[in-house]
Amino acid sequence: MADIISTVSTNYTCPNCGSPGMSVFYEIKAVPVHSVMLLHTREAALACARGDIKLGFCGSCGFISNVAFDTGTQKYSSSYEENQAFSSTFNSFHLNLALRLIERFGLHDKDIIEIGCGKGDFLTLLCELGKNRGIGFDPAYVYGRSPGKDSERTAFIKDFYSEKYAGYRADFICCKMTLEHIRNTADFLRLARHPLGGHPDGLVFFQVPDAVRILREAAFWDIYYEHCSYFSTASLRRLFERCGFDIIDLWRNYDDQYLMIAARPGREIKTPAPVLENDLEEMKHDVECFSENCLKKIDVWNLKLRQMKKQGKRSVIWGGGSKGVAFLTTLNIHEEIQYVVDINPHKNGTYTAGTGHKIVTPDFLPKYKPDLVIVMNPVYLEEIRKNLIGMGLDPELITA
């Protein structure tokens, strides 16, 4: 179980703004350093590499960082299975976001680079819908998995984007769900602007999780080792401004789970950036409340799952990604839950890092007949409900 500690002053320096004296407010030891690696035996899952999480809050810029993060532990490869494109809910979000970006920023016949492109789904959408040309960088990319109909529009490089690729040029830089994996965020952001060169109309677009939501919901399942950097609207804005960007737009999306930011390097802002910032006092209050609320939430979940097991009822969690792994490892759950459900067929028959729970696809459930299904992300609740009804099942359905 997580070790929740009171906020204390430390000597840690903020990697986002360089200010000293970050305050540690949450600590959990020996968690998997990779949550979504495909692990094909229970023994491999239990023996996975582990590291500590120690979240520190910067009172100067509002940034939150895992001050115990070790970059050397991160070994992304084709076995890193982060893909969410098997969900109709997620695909609808991706399609609408791509259309919004194309329309808002005139992405037609442009050169696009996506840093951290995953399996290439979003870059393919941008290129097909806007008739653009794209290059995606990601060491976890799998050749042959991209859904693109016109392979001439996209190319993929199985590698981290780095200085050696700075010679590539683009009109638009896309970076979704990657910055939170980066410890030295300012260095990374400065690197990401290189492909724009001196382009007068070049733009960058970043998407990251919203740390304020995590704090206010005490969502301990949204804290895992790969995510070493956590942003509010305020800290995200400050980072981009400090790195010489003019912010064009800053907004929330996907049931307010994600922060989206569009910016242009070194030009005046043409449209006023929306005022969405949480001031530092509010952020500090959210951090202080998180520890207490998180501990209560952990107790409630442990009691619920123990009661279900005592009554002889079967519980499963739906979502074998990072949220599910963080949920299981933080609660130290074993016998109370036997299976984890995920619609991604590539995960079927693999095991969750750290706890060794077997991952099954939904077609396993009519035989297993669970009494309780815990949905790890509420945005998928209705999709999952319809799936269960379609299988003739009516378990208790709750969200994390």
Side-chain angles (χ1 to χ4, degrees):
M1 184 184 298
D3 177 20
I4 309 298
I5 63 176
S6 300
T7 304
V8 294
S9 295
T10 73
N11 294 321
Y12 294 106
T13 298
C14 175
N16 199 50
C17 73
S19 298
M22 296 188 82
S23 299
V24 174
F25 64 95
Y26 176 83
E27 184 172 1
I28 178 170
K29 297 184 179 298
V31 300
V33 298
H34 283 300
S35 299
V36 292
M37 283 292 188
L38 296 178
L39 300 167
H40 296 282
T41 67
R42 188 169 187 271
E43 291 73 21
L46 293 174
C48 70
R50 298 174 185 261
D52 297 339
I53 293 175
K54 188 182 292 186
L55 294 188
F57 170 67
C58 176
S60 297
C61 73
F63 183 63
I64 293 172
S65 174
N66 176 14
V67 297
F69 183 75
D70 179 3
T71 303
T73 63
Q74 299 301 282
K75 305 183 186 303
Y76 295 98
S77 69
S78 299
S79 295
Y80 192 82
E81 187 53 49
E82 83 302 333
N83 194 271
Q84 296 171 267
F86 297 95
S87 161
S88 59
T89 301
F90 186 80
N91 288 337
S92 177
F93 156 69
H94 250 187
L95 175 61
N96 290 331
L97 177 60
L99 290 171
R100 174 176 179 168
L101 294 177
I102 290 169
E103 179 180 2
R104 173 75 192 277
F105 301 115
L107 300 182
H108 299 282
D109 192 29
K110 303 292 186 182
D111 291 308
I112 297 174
I113 285 179
E114 184 174 10
I115 300 173
C117 67
K119 303 302 183 285
D121 304 81
F122 191 68
L123 181 62
T124 299
L125 275 177
L126 288 176
C127 291
E128 289 185 350
L129 295 173
K131 299 191 182 304
N132 299 298
R133 298 164 297 277
I135 298 177
F137 292 87
D138 201 309
Y141 180 76
V142 177
Y143 291 108
R145 283 275 299 273
S146 175
K149 299 176 184 177
D150 186 355
S151 59
E152 293 182 358
R153 291 196 176 277
T154 55
F156 297 94
I157 297 175
K158 276 179 60 68
D159 197 3
F160 294 103
Y161 180 78
S162 65
E163 289 281 0
K164 70 179 179 179
Y165 299 112
Y168 283 80
R169 290 291 176 258
D171 306 294
F172 186 81
I173 307 299
C174 179
C175 188
K176 295 173 68 274
M177 307 306 283
T178 298
L179 189 60
E180 66 273 16
H181 293 248
I182 305 299
R183 176 169 173 77
N184 297 317
T185 53
D187 291 342
F188 181 82
L189 196 54
R190 294 185 184 104
L191 175 67
R193 68 186 290 168
H194 285 179
L196 297 177
H199 197 310
D201 296 310
L203 289 166
V204 299
F205 166 76
F206 278 68
Q207 173 187 311
V208 296
D210 183 5
V212 173
R213 178 196 62 82
I214 295 172
L215 294 174
R216 292 180 179 175
E217 295 181 8
F220 61 84
W221 51 88
D222 270 315
I223 297 171
Y224 31 92
Y225 194 85
E226 295 100 320
H227 284 194
C228 58
S229 297
Y230 298 80
F231 295 91
S232 65
T233 55
S235 62
L236 189 63
R237 176 193 294 278
R238 291 186 182 103
L239 172 64
F240 272 73
E241 291 176 344
R242 188 177 303 111
C243 292
F245 285 90
D246 294 327
I247 298 167
I248 305 302
D249 202 356
L250 176 58
W251 72 101
R252 291 184 174 92
N253 206 331
Y254 212 47
D255 198 26
D256 290 343
Q257 294 185 24
Y258 299 151
L259 298 179
M260 313 283 193
I261 187 167
R264 177 177 287 120
R267 286 171 57 117
E268 293 183 2
I269 303 173
K270 290 186 175 180
T271 56
V275 181
L276 296 175
E277 296 186 4
N278 300 278
D279 64 39
L280 293 174
E281 284 305 311
E282 286 183 341
M283 191 70 174
K284 182 179 179 181
H285 175 74
D286 290 335
V287 164
E288 291 172 347
C289 290
F290 172 85
S291 297
E292 179 182 355
N293 294 337
C294 184
L295 185 59
K296 291 178 181 177
K297 212 160 215 181
I298 287 172
D299 288 341
V300 168
W301 276 114
N302 274 316
L303 178 60
K304 171 75 173 178
L305 292 169
R306 283 198 300 267
Q307 288 176 336
M308 294 293 290
K309 185 176 184 296
K310 186 175 181 180
Q311 295 167 6
K313 295 183 177 180
R314 296 173 170 177
S315 303
V316 300
I317 68 170
W318 193 305
S322 297
K323 295 177 191 290
V325 170
F327 182 83
L328 293 169
T329 54
T330 303
L331 295 178
N332 196 24
I333 290 296
H334 295 284
E335 292 82 8
E336 293 88 346
I337 289 176
Q338 295 296 315
Y339 295 99
V340 172
V341 183
D342 201 288
I343 60 175
N344 185 336
H346 299 285
K347 293 183 179 180
N348 188 32
T350 63
Y351 296 81
T352 58
T355 58
H357 288 80
K358 189 170 185 178
I359 301 176
V360 297
T361 48
D363 57 10
F364 173 81
L365 296 182
K367 179 180 178 181
Y368 187 65
K369 293 182 172 55
D371 301 289
L372 172 67
V373 174
I374 304 167
V375 178
M376 290 314 307
N377 190 334
V379 78
Y380 299 117
L381 180 61
E382 291 310 311
E383 179 181 330
I384 292 170
R385 191 192 309 277
K386 291 177 182 177
N387 203 325
L388 291 168
I389 291 173
M391 291 185 287
L393 299 173
D394 187 27
E396 181 184 357
L397 193 60
I398 57 177
T399 60

